[in-house]
């Protein structure tokens, strides 16, 4: 599909400075700006109830929200889920024909194994992809100085994905639980862009990094009908080197993964048939400030999550919820991607359904993001198998 020359010019403009002066630029794509699309909201049970779970009990994948939430019904658990999200047209405000499209990187899934060691200790191992997207610029046709096509065609794109291998460990003492996720984070990004409108040059580069990034959680249950939880993830900065497949020089950028703090409360009503959850999430995205070659200027992220879960019987679970994902841009600057402030604000409505059959739990969750410019739809599917002996 042919894109207009305006789109290509925009992409080249955003990259030109980074190519020319390497060591000062913040990375464009390994960046929390794209969270309006890149986040995958695993696990499926939490996604269905407003992506709440900081103060809840859950299976092995619930540890992605709070490691201390792990509460296995039986000694062992296997878990798997798959995630689907619709494409998102980007830069709609420019009224371009065939504007750039954000797409999902397939496959996007999560899997895990949980083990109750004893009454006090639980542990496990999981794989999940917290973020991914493919920025598809489409089919780009090169033109010569007379405005005629040269016959050379490009398919420029950029993508980013995180792979997390995590070992959650949980200790329970009376009414309080302590948890930690020992996370190995693999960052991968690939760029395939034209370096200007030259006949024989194509920008093809990749960046790959591995980091150890733990996160921590506490869950306290002072009574049978109330629990509260708190989580913490430390900030880290990643220096990034883009290595090109041709003989071009390396490009150096950097990215932040901001500090995160979350707090939640859950009420258990009607003899634990009805669960009501409310949560607050904070991210210090203001670590991106004016300076360097890309003038990102973000404000801190404050978001709210609300969810409900109802079990009319022993086999069926109904879920619903709501949460926000607010625009973090504080000013329209060089790296702010042109769209008006606040128009990336998202309001997610969620719904979920669970069905239990013998030792299997089947779950599905639907999430719709309502937004002026970044609305899209998601579906998550999951299954777990719980058993007492291998």
């Amino acid at each position: 599909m042919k894109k207009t020359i305006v789109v290509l010019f925009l992409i080249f403009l955003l990259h030109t400075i980074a190519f020319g002066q390497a060591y000062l630029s913040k990375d464009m794509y390994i960046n929390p700006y794209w969270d309006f699309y890149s986040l995958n909201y695993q696990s499926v049970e939490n996604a269905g109830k407003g992506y709440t779970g900081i103060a809840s009990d859950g299976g092995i994948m619930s540890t992605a929200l709070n490691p201390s939430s792990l509460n296995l019904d039986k000694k062992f658990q296997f878990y798997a889920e798959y995630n689907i999200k619709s494409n998102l047209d980007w830069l709609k405000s420019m009224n371009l024909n065939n504007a750039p499209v954000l797409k999902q990187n397939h496959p996007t899934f999560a899997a895990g194994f949980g083990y109750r060691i004893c009454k006090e200790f639980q542990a496990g191992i999981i794989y999940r992809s917290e973020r991914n997207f493919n920025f598809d610029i489409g089919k780009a046709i090169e033109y010569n100085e007379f405005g005629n096509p040269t016959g050379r065609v490009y398919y420029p794109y950029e993508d980013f994905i995180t792979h997390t291998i995590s070992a959650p460990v949980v200790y329970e003492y009376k009414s309080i639980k302590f948890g930690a996720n020992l996370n190995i984070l693999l960052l991968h990004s690939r760029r395939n862009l034209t370096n200007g409108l030259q006949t024989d040059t194509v920008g093809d580069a990749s960046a790959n990094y591995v980091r150890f990034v733990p996160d921590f959680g506490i869950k306290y249950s002072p009574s049978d009908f109330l629990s509260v939880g708190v989580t913490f993830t430390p900030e880290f900065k990643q220096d990034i080197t883009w290595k090109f497949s041709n003989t071009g020089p390396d490009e150096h950028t950097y990215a932040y993964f901001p500090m995160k703090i979350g707090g939640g409360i859950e009420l258990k009503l009607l003899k634990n048939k009805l669960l009501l959850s409310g949560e607050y999430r904070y991210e210090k995205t203001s670590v991106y400030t004016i300076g360097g070659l890309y003038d990102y200027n973000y404000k801190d992220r404050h978001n709210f999550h609300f969810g409900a879960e109802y079990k009319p019987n022993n086999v069926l679970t109904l879920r619903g919820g709501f949460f926000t994902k607010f625009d973090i841009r504080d000013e329209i600057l060089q790296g702010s991607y042109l769209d008006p402030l606040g128009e990336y604000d998202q309001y997610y409505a969620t719904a979920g359904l669970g069905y239990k059959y013998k030792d299997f739990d089947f779950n599905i969750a639907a999430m719709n993001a309502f937004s002026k410019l970044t609305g899209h739809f998601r579906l998550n599917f999951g299954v777990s198998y719980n058993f007492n002996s291998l």
Side-chain angles (χ1 to χ4, degrees):
M1 181 170 57
K2 182 178 178 181
K3 305 292 185 181
T4 66
I5 198 68
V6 177
V7 177
L8 281 177
F9 177 75
L10 173 65
I11 302 303
F12 298 148
L13 179 64
L14 291 174
H15 281 279
T16 299
I17 299 177
F19 289 155
Q21 303 183 43
Y23 287 92
L24 300 176
S25 64
K26 306 175 183 72
D27 201 89
M28 288 179 56
Y29 287 94
I30 305 177
N31 189 308
Y33 165 86
W34 301 97
D35 285 358
F36 62 81
Y37 184 79
S38 66
L39 290 172
N40 291 321
Y41 302 111
Q42 300 160 327
S43 75
V44 59
E45 295 178 45
N46 301 106
K49 56 176 185 175
Y51 203 54
T52 60
I54 291 178
S56 304
D57 290 329
I60 185 62
M61 196 54 61
S62 68
T63 59
L65 281 176
N66 184 351
S68 65
S69 68
L70 183 59
N71 188 33
L72 300 177
D73 293 332
K74 295 190 176 181
K75 193 173 182 68
F76 303 101
Q77 182 185 77
F78 282 115
Y79 179 90
E81 76 170 71
Y82 199 87
N83 314 115
I84 299 172
K85 51 189 172 185
S86 62
N87 295 343
L88 174 61
D89 292 336
W90 188 59
L91 291 179
K92 295 178 183 178
S93 60
M94 292 188 68
N95 297 316
L96 298 172
N97 292 326
N98 302 318
V101 176
L102 289 169
K103 296 181 176 181
Q104 177 178 354
N105 278 336
H106 287 284
T108 303
F109 68 95
F113 172 74
Y115 174 45
R116 181 178 283 279
I117 302 169
C118 60
K119 180 181 178 181
E120 294 82 10
F121 284 98
Q122 299 174 81
I125 186 166
I126 63 175
Y127 163 81
R128 55 189 170 91
S129 175
E130 184 179 13
R131 289 177 169 87
N132 78 44
F133 69 92
N134 180 292
F135 180 57
D136 177 17
I137 305 168
K139 182 179 179 180
I141 300 174
E142 184 184 71
Y143 294 85
N144 62 25
E145 64 271 22
F146 304 106
N148 299 316
T150 64
R152 186 169 177 82
V153 175
Y154 300 99
Y155 294 89
Y157 70 89
E158 300 212 17
D159 65 21
F160 174 58
I161 186 169
T162 62
H163 304 279
T164 302
I165 299 173
S166 179
V169 181
V170 185
Y171 171 69
E172 182 174 359
Y173 177 74
K174 295 183 178 179
S175 59
I176 191 167
K177 295 170 73 173
F178 304 90
N181 281 329
L182 309 178
N183 302 313
I184 301 296
L185 183 64
L186 294 84
L187 310 175
H188 169 73
S189 194
R190 173 76 183 277
R191 169 191 303 160
N192 193 329
L193 295 175
T194 58
N195 273 339
L197 297 179
Q198 301 299 318
T199 305
D200 57 353
T201 57
V202 175
D204 187 356
S206 62
N208 297 278
Y209 287 92
V210 178
R211 290 292 299 253
F212 173 68
V213 187
D215 54 71
F216 308 93
I218 299 175
K219 181 171 170 285
Y220 175 55
S221 302
S223 67
D224 293 337
F225 64 87
L226 174 66
S227 60
V228 295
V230 178
T231 61
F232 171 75
T233 303
E235 169 194 319
F236 73 93
K237 178 183 177 182
Q238 179 65 58
D239 293 323
I240 297 165
T241 299
W242 288 88
K243 294 188 176 296
F244 287 82
S245 58
N246 56 24
T247 57
D250 293 344
E251 176 191 332
H252 299 273
T253 62
Y254 64 91
Y256 291 108
F257 286 73
M259 177 187 70
K260 296 187 287 188
I261 298 173
I265 184 170
E266 182 173 86
L267 297 176
K268 303 177 182 181
L269 308 174
L270 303 179
K271 297 181 179 180
N272 288 348
K273 288 187 175 182
L274 177 64
L275 307 179
L276 300 176
S277 303
E279 298 178 4
Y280 164 72
R281 313 268 180 89
Y282 167 80
E283 294 182 52
K284 193 180 179 182
T285 43
S286 62
V287 68
Y288 281 89
T289 58
I290 295 176
L293 295 177
Y294 282 153
D295 281 335
Y296 303 114
N297 194 39
Y298 298 158
K299 55 190 175 183
D300 288 335
R301 178 175 279 160
H302 304 270
N303 285 293
F304 302 89
H305 296 243
F306 303 95
E309 179 177 287
Y310 178 63
K311 295 183 178 181
N313 52 51
N314 292 330
V315 299
L316 189 64
T317 303
L318 306 175
R319 303 183 180 97
F322 169 85
F323 69 94
T324 63
K325 184 64 67 176
F326 291 125
D327 195 344
I328 59 174
R329 294 171 302 154
D330 203 28
E331 293 182 64
I332 296 293
L333 297 166
Q334 178 178 294
S336 297
Y337 303 106
L338 306 179
D339 283 323
L341 294 178
E343 297 203 356
Y344 288 3
D345 287 346
Q346 294 175 312
Y347 301 89
Y348 278 85
T350 73
L353 179 67
Y355 180 76
K356 186 175 182 64
Y357 176 74
K358 295 183 178 180
D359 291 331
F360 289 92
D361 291 305
F362 301 92
N363 291 281
I364 184 172
M367 294 173 282
N368 196 83
F370 297 93
S371 173
K372 289 185 178 180
L373 295 178
T374 58
H376 62 285
F377 182 75
R378 302 164 179 264
L379 276 176
N380 292 3
F381 306 89
V383 59
S384 63
Y385 176 58
N386 306 279
F387 55 104
N388 282 321
S389 60
L390 293 172

